[in-house]
């Protein structure tokens, strides 16, 4: 369930189904498709996959949510938090609660890396509060070794903003810059 694209544009919903769930988009936020999806998908008794292409989605549009760099980018934390509350109410997802927590850590930390630095401080404190609400004490260490941004999680939890931003974050920037150079070299080669 964590690998499904939650975007609204790649799904068709029956009107009666939506009325029965009572699910609505949180108003005034971007990334609102995240809690909407987790409020509707688990309620579905039947899901069909259509083989036809019914919609063309243009990647890297200038006005895309994914291309946003304004303060609204910080909406990711409250939308992930609302999503987490919805996921916790789904009984059959308790089996993957550790994966849900890893998904939250990876998602929020990754967004921090991508956003403009003028929103880092506000986002850091929002992210830290969200991270502190995750109970990871009963999850074995071997699992966390496989979580891509777990070191970032620890850096957020164990440091104040200035220390995190000035020391730890630079390491992640260097790593991602190296990854980008490798990807670019491979892409240009082929």
């Amino acid at each position: 369930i964590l690998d499904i694209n939650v975007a609204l544009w790649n799904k068709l919903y029956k009107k009666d189904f939506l009325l029965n769930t009572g699910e609505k988009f949180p108003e005034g936020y971007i990334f609102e498709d995240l809690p909407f999806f987790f409020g509707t998908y688990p309620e579905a008794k039947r899901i069909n996959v259509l083989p036809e292409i019914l919609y063309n989605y243009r990647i890297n549009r200038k006005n895309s949510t994914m291309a946003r760099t304004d303060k609204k980018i910080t909406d990711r934390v409250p939308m992930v938090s609302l999503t987490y509350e919805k996921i916790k109410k789904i009984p059959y997802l308790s089996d993957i609660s550790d994966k849900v927590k890893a998904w939250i850590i990876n998602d929020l930390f990754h967004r921090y890396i991508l956003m403009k630095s003028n929103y880092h401080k506000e986002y850091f404190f929002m992210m830290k509060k969200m991270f502190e609400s995750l109970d990871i004490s009963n999850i074995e260490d071997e699992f966390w070794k496989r979580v891509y941004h777990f070191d970032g999680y620890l850096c957020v939890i164990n440091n104040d903003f200035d220390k995190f931003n000035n020391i730890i974050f630079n390491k992640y920037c260097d790593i991602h810059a190296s990854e980008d150079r490798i990807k670019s070299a491979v892409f240009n080669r082929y």
Side-chain angles (χ1 to χ4, degrees):
I1 193 168
L2 297 174
D3 293 330
I4 297 173
N5 183 330
V6 301
L8 185 66
W9 58 262
N10 67 2
K11 294 166 192 61
L12 295 172
Y13 292 90
K14 286 188 173 185
K15 181 180 175 182
D16 291 344
F17 169 72
L18 291 179
L19 291 173
N20 286 336
T21 67
E23 193 64 35
K24 298 196 183 315
F25 286 99
E27 290 188 36
Y29 291 94
I30 61 172
F31 306 115
E32 71 282 7
D33 45 2
L34 199 57
F36 180 83
F37 172 79
F38 283 98
T40 56
Y41 185 80
E43 297 297 319
K45 304 236 184 308
R46 211 175 53 229
I47 296 171
N48 292 321
V49 177
L50 301 174
E52 298 89 8
I53 296 173
L54 303 171
Y55 186 87
N56 289 318
Y57 184 79
R58 205 163 30 135
I59 298 174
N60 297 328
R61 290 179 300 115
K62 188 170 40 171
N63 296 330
S64 167
T65 300
M66 303 313 285
R68 288 191 79 147
T69 57
D70 61 354
K71 187 176 181 332
K72 293 296 286 175
I73 203 75
T74 62
D75 284 355
R76 188 65 178 193
V77 179
M79 292 299 96
V80 166
S81 181
L82 182 56
T83 300
Y84 183 51
E85 292 307 312
K86 289 178 183 284
I87 289 173
K88 288 193 297 187
K89 294 176 185 173
I90 304 168
Y92 61 85
L93 287 184
S94 63
D95 295 347
I96 62 165
S97 68
D98 52 347
K99 291 179 182 159
V100 170
K101 293 171 185 177
W103 168 77
I104 290 169
I105 290 166
N106 285 334
D107 183 84
L108 293 183
F109 192 82
H110 179 71
R111 301 277 173 179
Y112 181 92
I113 291 168
L114 297 176
M115 72 176 44
K116 286 186 173 183
S117 61
N118 48 329
Y119 304 114
H120 278 168
K121 191 168 192 172
E122 179 182 358
Y123 189 88
F124 171 84
F125 288 109
M126 294 168 73
M127 179 173 56
K128 186 169 187 156
K129 184 177 178 183
M130 178 72 205
F131 284 176
E132 289 171 344
S133 75
L134 302 174
D135 179 14
I136 65 163
S137 59
N138 61 344
I139 303 173
E140 58 192 57
D141 290 340
E142 285 303 309
F143 173 81
W144 291 118
K145 289 179 184 176
R146 298 184 307 272
V147 175
Y148 189 66
H149 287 303
F150 187 67
D151 287 342
Y153 162 84
L154 292 174
C155 292
V156 169
I157 291 295
N158 295 321
N159 293 290
D160 63 20
F161 172 73
D162 291 328
K163 185 173 182 181
F164 171 80
N165 201 43
N166 293 331
I167 299 169
I168 313 291
F169 182 68
N170 291 330
K171 291 180 184 179
Y172 283 93
C173 285
D174 292 343
I175 290 167
H176 284 281
S178 297
E179 286 177 348
D180 289 344
R181 282 192 301 274
I182 291 167
K183 287 176 189 174
S184 178
V186 170
F187 180 76
N188 290 335
R189 186 175 209 182
Y190 297 100

